[in-house]
Amino acid sequence: MEAVERAARILREGGLVGLPTETVYGLAVDATNEIAVRRMFAVKGRPASHPVIVHVGDASFLDAWSRQVPRVAHALADAFWPGPLTIVLPRSERALDVVTGGQDTVALRVPDHPLALEVLRAFGDGVAAPSANRFGHVSPTTAQHVHDDLGPDVDLVLDGGPCRVGVESTIVDLATDPDRPRILRTGAVLATDVARVLGVPVGVPVGLVPGVPMDGGDPPPPPEEMRVPGTHDVHYAPRAGVELVSAEEAGPRAAELDRPPRRRAVLIAPAGVKAPVLPPEQRLNAPSDPDEFARVLYALLRNADALAADVALVVPPAASGLGEAVRDRLRRAAGGGRRA
Ligand code: TXA
Ligand code: MG
């Protein structure tokens, strides 16, 4: 296919390609080309200390990019690749400092999207690809989002349609101790999925207890204390301030924002949620199914910005399935406040 060949050629020449994956669109560059990686960082406006994921065509690349691939890494690759799981391993010499942020580990993933896989095969090596948005902004889930965010700074955007998953991949750390895997970022592959395949308990970030609602009383203590490297508190944020509300709080909070000093609110919630003060154009319907919510999450936040909202009031989905990842991204967006 001509577009695939063109993308592979641009990558070989050190260019930037907007690449569809099943999670979000990536901003792809040749991971072995330091100048190309630096250009990608500059275009994103991303701090150089922030490591990026290396995308490969299949699990046979594990040994090229990691000096020490534990058996559990192969087990996870067999179970979930291609798919929305990123595996952190001890890096090999192939993994440049600019890619790993100077850390001794590298994050690897085989994306599950036909176009991405064709490009990776045609290119033949690892492609470093963060989400194709300006740093700190919400991730893109359509080719148009990539154009909107990065415009002429990207050499080619492949249009693979809207992303099937809609939130970034799950990241699992096997570098610290392969016998004690830890989830660093939630996504479509759940901690319970990883635990089932490996037959061991899996650590999850502090404050994240799968299946326990955010505002539903005292959660039990998390399985393990852990730091989440490279995860900024303010992240995934639209320009509008994000406020998480329950279905019952939505109406009263919208009314409060409608009083002086008036702030323009947009409500992102399932159709049944009442907020009589808001005109229909300031309501964005969100699916009540958590997996469907994930698919449209970033488009909804972008729509809130397009409607010039000061505040996006969001009723989050239940914590089942992809709901936990959606709630995680919303909590981070809520930490962001209004951004210029
Ligand atoms: O679904 C995804 O993962 C998307 C698509 C494009 O594959 N990519 C993505 O990349 O979300 P980005 O750069 O927006 O997020 C990468 C995350 C960051 O939180 C970074 O800290 C973490 O991966 N990461 C990368 N290398 C790491 C490493 N060696 N150790 C720990 N975390 C790492
Ligand atoms: Mg990102």
Side-chain angles (χ1 to χ4, degrees):
M1 192 178 148
E2 202 193 322
V4 169
E5 285 308 324
R6 214 175 128 216
R9 194 175 66 241
I10 290 170
L11 290 171
R12 268 180 230 116
E13 291 167 354
L16 276 60
V17 174
L19 191 69
T21 82
E22 81 281 31
T23 57
V24 301
Y25 275 69
L27 181 61
V29 293
D30 175 355
T32 65
N33 180 335
E34 179 165 349
I35 294 167
V37 177
R38 287 192 192 283
R39 193 174 148 223
M40 174 273 285
F41 272 89
V43 163
K44 268 202 71 123
R46 178 163 172 157
S49 60
H50 209 105
V52 289
I53 296 169
V54 176
H55 297 70
V56 291
D58 59 57
S60 71
F61 286 90
L62 279 169
D63 288 314
W65 286 90
S66 168
R67 62 175 184 274
Q68 196 184 8
V69 183
R71 193 192 47 81
V72 285
H74 287 291
L76 291 184
D78 284 348
F80 300 112
W81 282 0
L85 181 73
T86 295
I87 304 178
V88 177
L89 292 172
R91 72 164 161 179
S92 72
E93 276 169 18
R94 200 183 201 88
L96 304 169
D97 277 338
V98 278
V99 169
T100 70
Q103 302 187 63
D104 194 34
T105 56
V106 63
L108 297 164
R109 168 166 121 83
V110 178
D112 186 18
H113 190 291
L115 264 182
L117 288 170
E118 281 180 52
V119 170
L120 288 169
R121 270 171 213 145
F123 176 65
D125 202 349
V127 148
S131 51
N133 51 284
R134 303 266 180 217
F135 184 67
H137 196 214
V138 295
S139 294
T141 51
T142 66
Q144 187 59 49
H145 293 164
V146 182
H147 285 295
D148 292 347
D149 258 34
L150 303 178
D153 288 343
V154 33
D155 298 304
L156 171 70
V157 180
L158 290 177
D159 190 345
C163 298
R164 175 171 61 77
V165 175
V167 294
E168 301 80 355
S169 60
T170 303
I171 303 180
V172 63
D173 171 25
L174 296 179
T176 308
D177 181 352
D179 296 327
R180 300 180 68 205
R182 311 178 309 161
I183 302 293
L184 302 184
R185 181 174 71 184
T186 51
V189 173
L190 307 180
T192 47
D193 298 330
V194 174
R196 183 170 32 77
V197 169
L198 299 184
V200 295
V202 173
V204 297
V206 170
L208 170 71
V209 181
V212 174
M214 271 188 305
D215 44 10
D218 283 341
E224 180 188 352
E225 275 289 312
M226 59 175 274
R227 192 175 67 94
V228 184
T231 309
H232 289 223
D233 287 331
V234 180
H235 212 158
Y236 312 103
R239 276 186 300 279
V242 171
E243 284 184 26
L244 301 184
V245 290
S246 66
E248 297 72 37
E249 287 162 352
R253 182 61 183 142
E256 204 170 276
L257 290 166
D258 197 46
R259 291 195 287 270
R262 282 188 78 199
R263 302 223 287 150
R264 185 176 165 81
V266 161
L267 177 67
I268 298 177
V273 174
K274 292 191 179 59
V277 75
L278 291 181
E281 62 274 16
Q282 281 168 251
R283 282 204 58 133
L284 299 173
N285 279 346
S288 43
D289 177 79
D291 291 1
E292 280 169 36
F293 200 125
R295 215 168 292 145
V296 294
L297 169 69
Y298 289 135
L300 287 170
L301 293 177
R302 282 169 189 267
N303 286 346
D305 279 347
L307 289 167
D310 298 310
V311 178
L313 296 175
V314 187
V315 177
S320 60
L322 265 169
E324 191 51 68
V326 171
R327 294 158 76 104
D328 165 67
R329 304 315 188 266
L330 284 170
R331 282 189 291 257
R332 294 176 200 224
R338 193 176 170 79
R339 301 159 63 86

